[in-house]
Amino acid sequence: MNNYIVRRIAQAIPLLFVISIVSFTLIKLAPGDPVLSFVTPNMGAEDVERIRQNLGLDQPMYVQYVVWLKNVLSGDLGYSLVNHRPVAEMIIERLPATFGLMGASLLLSLLISIPLSMIAGSRQNSLFDRGLSLISYIGISIPSFWFGMMLIYFFAVQLHWLPSMGMRTVGMDSAWDIIKHGILPCTVLTFMNVSVYMRYIRSNTISQLEEDYVQIQYAYGATKGTVLLRHVLKNVLLPVITILGMSLPELIAGAFITESVFSWPGMGSLGISAVHGLDYPIIMGITMMSSVLLVVGNLVADILYGVVDPRIKTTG
């Protein structure tokens, strides 16, 4: 197992290197000039060029990339071109908000989707199964920003039950106030995640119930509930592990659209503002941290496969 982990990490290093080159190139080729945000009507061409030199944007693209890579390898993600603050410091400030929102939505998604999907899969083509399938199709089809605005309209504007934006009420510093602000964005993310998870888990439950080991358990007198909980559940968890591994980058990047709709002060809103301001260092910082988490998530998923199902071996 240790050799496998070392081999996977060694394979991830060139992958991250390629991702950094592609991301850096695409960002630099994007239309717009970040220097324009510093220009005032009283500035001349020499002043603008001096700003460009101070920011290091007058160098060729490959020189800028080498400088950026050298700084990143030394633990320095650079400084924001707009806010003039260390990128790492700005990311660390936003991480708790995104971790709390995304972690809560992932946990609720699993707690809701696993039991409902297994029940639906065990009652294939029943009214309950068709109802869940309809809800799942709706969740997959509707845009998250539209669903978020509908929730704001009904629960914040019309009913005045919940706040519509932000993470805290001015003058209040309590856990319940943060929870109230997080209910609507967490509902949007959870509904979208559950809609996707249910399709995978339901399909896998149906296929597992057709396996020989299930029929043998029924022949020994086991009930459907016992078969589902003791035998089918651990096999159904395999696609869930894959989904969770792919979802880890969201803990860094956050849900860009959802955080923007609800003005949630997390990584998503930071990334959106960085894109609008052409703040290259922040964009690259978020991109690379998300890429590292994606690699780590896949590695953790592969390891958990062997834990959940001993038949799966991580051998060459």
Side-chain angles (χ1 to χ4, degrees):
M1 178 64 71
N2 292 334
N3 294 333
Y4 173 76
I5 295 175
V6 172
R7 187 171 67 251
R8 286 296 301 272
I9 294 176
Q11 294 172 351
I13 293 176
L15 175 61
L16 293 174
F17 179 69
V18 173
I19 291 175
S20 67
I21 293 177
V22 174
S23 301
F24 195 89
T25 303
L26 291 177
I27 292 173
K28 290 296 182 179
L29 293 178
D33 187 357
V35 177
L36 296 180
S37 61
F38 298 90
V39 175
T40 63
N42 298 326
M43 286 186 179
E46 294 181 356
D47 298 325
V48 175
E49 187 62 26
R50 190 179 303 111
I51 294 175
R52 192 181 306 277
Q53 292 176 0
N54 292 335
L55 296 176
L57 299 178
D58 60 321
Q59 300 292 331
M61 186 187 302
Y62 70 91
V63 175
Q64 296 182 42
Y65 173 77
V66 171
V67 173
W68 173 84
L69 182 62
K70 180 181 178 181
N71 292 334
V72 169
L73 294 178
S74 63
D76 182 11
L77 295 179
Y79 281 77
S80 168
L81 300 179
V82 177
N83 298 290
H84 312 291
R85 295 178 56 198
V87 173
E89 180 181 305
M90 297 181 65
I91 290 178
I92 291 174
E93 286 180 355
R94 300 293 188 106
L95 278 180
T98 296
F99 273 173
L101 181 62
M102 302 304 299
S105 65
L106 286 177
L107 179 61
L108 288 174
S109 300
L110 293 177
L111 293 178
I112 295 173
S113 60
I114 291 177
L116 290 182
S117 302
M118 294 188 67
I119 294 174
S122 63
R123 301 177 181 178
Q124 187 178 5
N125 296 324
S126 65
L127 183 62
F128 181 79
D129 180 35
R130 294 184 180 184
L132 280 185
S133 296
L134 177 62
I135 295 174
S136 178
Y137 286 131
I138 293 175
I140 294 173
S141 303
I142 63 174
S144 59
F145 70 87
W146 179 86
F147 184 48
M149 289 189 292
M150 290 298 100
L151 291 181
I152 291 175
Y153 177 75
F154 285 110
F155 292 100
V157 177
Q158 294 294 326
L159 299 177
H160 303 286
W161 287 357
L162 297 169
S164 60
M165 62 178 58
M167 185 176 172
R168 290 184 175 89
T169 303
V170 178
M172 297 186 64
D173 188 15
S174 64
W176 173 240
D177 183 58
I178 297 177
I179 293 174
K180 286 197 302 182
H181 281 80
I183 289 177
L184 292 183
C186 188
T187 300
V188 173
L189 294 172
T190 301
F191 182 62
M192 299 300 170
N193 289 335
V194 168
S195 301
V196 175
Y197 295 176
M198 284 197 304
R199 304 305 304 166
Y200 287 98
I201 300 174
R202 173 188 175 276
S203 176
N204 204 33
T205 300
I206 293 175
S207 63
Q208 290 297 320
L209 289 175
E210 296 174 354
E211 295 291 333
D212 293 337
Y213 73 89
V214 172
Q215 305 304 321
I216 293 175
Q217 294 298 321
Y218 283 148
Y220 282 137
T223 62
K224 178 178 291 187
T226 301
V227 171
L228 288 175
L229 292 176
R230 293 187 178 181
H231 305 283
V232 175
L233 177 59
K234 61 181 180 181
N235 292 322
V236 167
L237 289 179
L238 292 178
V240 176
I241 293 174
T242 303
I243 295 173
L244 287 179
M246 299 295 291
S247 300
L248 276 184
E250 296 180 0
L251 296 178
I252 290 292
F256 275 46
I257 297 177
T258 303
E259 287 192 3
S260 299
V261 170
F262 292 95
S263 299
W264 189 262
M267 295 296 299
S269 57
L270 177 63
I272 289 292
S273 62
V275 171
H276 288 165
L278 297 176
D279 201 337
Y280 303 144
I282 292 182
I283 298 174
M284 285 300 300
I286 295 176
T287 300
M288 294 312 300
M289 293 183 71
S290 301
S291 300
V292 170
L293 269 186
L294 180 60
V295 173
V296 172
N298 287 331
L299 177 59
V300 172
D302 289 344
I303 295 174
L304 290 179
Y305 284 158
V307 176
V308 175
D309 191 347
R311 296 173 299 175
I312 300 176
K313 302 297 182 180
T314 56
T315 60

